[in-house]
Amino acid sequence: MAMKAKSVYRCTECGAESLRWQGKCDTCGEWNTLVEELVAPKVSASKAAGAQRRLGGANAFGEGGQVLETPRLRDVLGAEEHRWTTGIAEFDFVLGGGVVPGSMVLVGGEPGIGKSTILLQVAARLEGEGHSCLYVSGEESPLQVKLRADRLGSTAGSVALLGETNLETILATAAQAQPKVMVVDSIQTVFTGDLEGAPGNVGQVRECAARLMRFAKESGTAVFVVGHVTKGGGIAGPKTLEHIVDTVLYFEGEGSADHRVLRATKNRFGSVDEIGVFRMTVQGLEAVENPSALFLGERSESPASGSAVTCLMEGSRPMLLEVQGLAAKAGFGTPQRVSTGYDARRLALLLAVLDKRAGLSFAQLDVFLNVVGGVRVQEPAGDLAVAAALASSFYDKPLPGDAIFLGEVGLGGEIRGISQAERRLLEAEKMGMRRAFVSQRSVPKRLPKQLKVEGVPDLVALFRALFR
């Protein structure tokens, strides 16, 4: 009869150990930080001393192990594993070219964003290409998964389905079936009998993820794991969960919008910060080949005041976005500062720069800023578009509908250069833009033929050119 693995409770803040769970850590005084962990049996001092006498010296530290060869890196032979393409272009692009055999991918996102939908579509596509798939559902019954597959109209009927949450049963079934791809939905519902904690706690999530990772590496099965997110937007569970896996994908987007953004924040087999854009339809998620056309599709040729266009680099892909700003008279004593898709602290900084350097006072005005499409502006190249949109709303004068704004705004009101300006300008020209306001240092040597590029030194010069 196999003995049950021993476990201790370790504090996630200070690392102190305890033989039993308690609400407060006696070492650091933090509450609810003790989580259960499996531990290897310790070697007694007498046994270690005996081993040292038998083996002699430092060899005693290796008792129970075996001596392996250590080849030089130049002598290592082998070829890179061939990737499996799913046929979903945007999904393969974010992964770096396709699914790598033996890899483990973590897919996180808000509830209802489309995590299970995209993975069921991927499993159906791979099954159609001859790669056997096992879909493990811990949250939905087999009938619910079948109804989703029927609603999507996909060829997922041949995908093997397992409704189970016990990790030992899942691994035993997978070892017997030997699938090429396995989907676990979700990691927060899976538990191992070696730990006493409830499914979803820190110890269970970490141990289950580590065993799934080991199974992927030893069997060559590509494992996809669904992870829930917390209120802060991070994947629930320990941060080590993201360190264990090979690739971390985040689904982003507004629940009311029909498009989703799949972003790679970690990828051992490709570049990070790549994004794929999908549109949610009745038949599931469809890839969007031209995201710029999607985000600018509803923008009128003669926009109202407060609308500006910028171009962001998402990995290696340039993408045009519309930024909308509104400055209105404050109805209460303290003006509001509301930002959607843009860092609120960065907005406060730009408002201070506009007041100090350009003479635009928003002290008595409510300021609302929105990045259209539910996309987040994370790089400073969108500062100039935000400043132009706010100034346009302040003066109540619309900006040119065919103009794009690229640049970082400094604290002195100067406009700083950005990276990959030429690629952004080419994308703007392709989308029908005819004027571009950039930093003087970002004006490329080879200018686009149908795009007039104007280099401006600071905000005062920009507003003088726009509003006279």
Side-chain angles (χ1 to χ4, degrees):
M1 180 177 178
M3 296 181 62
K4 187 176 181 180
K6 295 182 179 180
S7 62
V8 298
Y9 292 88
R10 188 183 304 275
C11 178
T12 57
E13 296 294 330
C14 65
E17 292 185 4
S18 176
L19 296 179
R20 60 182 180 84
W21 184 88
Q22 53 190 15
K24 182 179 180 181
C25 176
D26 293 334
T27 304
C28 64
E30 294 293 332
W31 288 88
N32 297 325
T33 57
L34 293 179
V35 296
E36 189 179 13
E37 287 186 358
L38 295 178
V39 294
K42 296 182 179 180
V43 180
S44 63
S46 59
K47 185 176 181 181
Q52 187 173 7
R53 288 193 299 269
R54 293 192 305 270
L55 300 176
N59 292 333
F61 295 105
E63 185 187 14
Q66 55 181 335
V67 180
L68 300 178
E69 296 182 0
T70 57
R72 303 294 181 182
L73 286 175
R74 60 176 174 268
D75 300 328
V76 177
L77 302 177
E80 183 181 357
E81 290 284 351
H82 181 67
R83 295 174 182 259
W84 303 327
T85 57
T86 64
I88 305 177
E90 293 292 295
F91 191 84
D92 293 336
F93 174 74
V94 175
L95 287 179
V99 181
V100 177
S103 63
M104 185 170 176
V105 182
L106 175 64
V107 182
E110 296 285 343
I113 201 71
K115 303 183 295 297
S116 302
T117 300
I118 188 64
L119 290 180
L120 186 59
Q121 291 181 246
V122 168
R125 293 292 187 96
L126 290 173
E127 188 75 32
E129 295 292 331
H131 306 295
S132 58
C133 298
L134 175 62
Y135 192 97
V136 181
S137 177
E139 297 184 345
E140 298 176 316
S141 66
L143 179 59
Q144 289 175 310
V145 179
K146 180 181 183 300
L147 291 176
R148 175 185 287 114
D150 295 341
R151 184 174 67 253
L152 298 178
S154 61
T155 58
S158 56
V159 175
L161 180 62
L162 174 64
E164 182 59 49
T165 57
N166 183 267
L167 179 65
E168 286 75 15
T169 303
I170 294 173
L171 293 180
T173 305
Q176 177 68 26
Q178 297 182 352
K180 295 294 184 65
V181 179
M182 181 171 68
V183 179
V184 179
D185 185 9
S186 65
I187 189 63
Q188 278 80 17
T189 62
V190 178
F191 72 95
T192 173
D194 293 334
L195 295 178
E196 297 180 355
N201 68 17
V202 175
Q204 287 282 2
V205 170
R206 178 165 46 200
E207 182 65 21
C208 293
R211 293 190 186 181
L212 287 171
M213 183 67 169
R214 187 162 58 249
F215 170 78
K217 299 304 180 186
E218 294 177 355
S219 65
T221 300
V223 178
F224 288 88
V225 175
V226 176
H228 298 301
V229 298
T230 60
K231 294 180 179 179
I235 295 180
K239 195 64 177 178
T240 53
L241 176 61
E242 300 185 30
H243 296 304
I244 291 174
V245 301
D246 296 313
T247 306
V248 179
L249 306 180
Y250 274 93
F251 250 124
E252 302 174 355
E254 297 292 337
S256 58
D258 63 347
H259 64 270
R260 305 287 189 268
V261 176
L262 183 65
R263 184 186 304 274
T265 60
K266 174 188 176 182
N267 194 352
R268 290 174 178 165
F269 310 109
S271 58
V272 296
D273 288 333
E274 296 287 2
I275 69 166
V277 182
F278 299 86
R279 180 185 288 110
M280 179 64 77
T281 64
V282 179
Q283 288 76 29
L285 290 166
E286 296 181 355
V288 177
E289 298 181 357
N290 191 350
S292 298
L294 172 66
F295 293 124
L296 296 181
E298 299 182 1
R299 188 171 186 266
S300 61
E301 296 181 358
S302 301
S305 62
S307 174
V309 177
T310 187
C311 184
L312 305 180
M313 291 299 300
E314 296 290 353
S316 60
R317 169 182 292 179
M319 184 172 64
L320 268 64
L321 295 173
E322 180 183 3
V323 178
Q324 293 180 334
L326 176 63
K329 185 177 179 180
F332 302 95
T334 302
Q336 301 182 68
R337 303 289 185 259
V338 181
S339 175
T340 303
Y342 193 77
D343 186 27
R345 292 174 296 181
R346 189 72 182 174
L347 174 61
L349 183 148
L350 288 179
L351 291 176
V353 172
L354 289 173
D355 187 359
K356 181 71 174 181
R357 307 301 180 186
L360 305 184
S361 178
F362 294 86
Q364 304 300 324
L365 300 176
D366 289 335
V367 176
F368 304 92
L369 186 68
N370 177 45
V371 181
V372 177
V375 182
R376 291 196 60 83
V377 177
Q378 298 180 346
E379 61 171 327
D383 289 351
L384 193 60
V386 173
L390 293 176
S392 172
S393 179
F394 181 88
Y395 290 119
D396 199 18
K397 294 183 178 180
L399 299 171
D402 57 354
I404 186 173
F405 301 87
L406 302 172
E408 176 185 358
V409 178
L411 294 181
E414 74 279 7
I415 300 176
R416 298 179 176 271
I418 58 174
S419 62
Q420 306 186 56
E422 187 173 354
R423 296 191 60 183
R424 302 175 198 251
L425 294 175
L426 290 175
E427 178 71 12
E429 182 187 31
K430 184 174 67 175
M431 292 304 300
M433 297 295 169
R434 294 296 175 260
R435 297 178 66 185
F437 295 93
V438 300
S439 169
Q440 291 180 338
R441 295 185 178 182
S442 298
V443 178
K445 296 180 179 179
R446 298 178 56 183
L447 298 176
K449 296 181 180 179
Q450 300 180 356
L451 185 66
K452 180 182 178 181
V453 181
E454 301 182 25
V456 288
D458 50 36
L459 292 177
V460 174
L462 173 66
F463 297 158
R464 185 181 299 114
L466 292 174
F467 309 114
R468 301 301 177 188

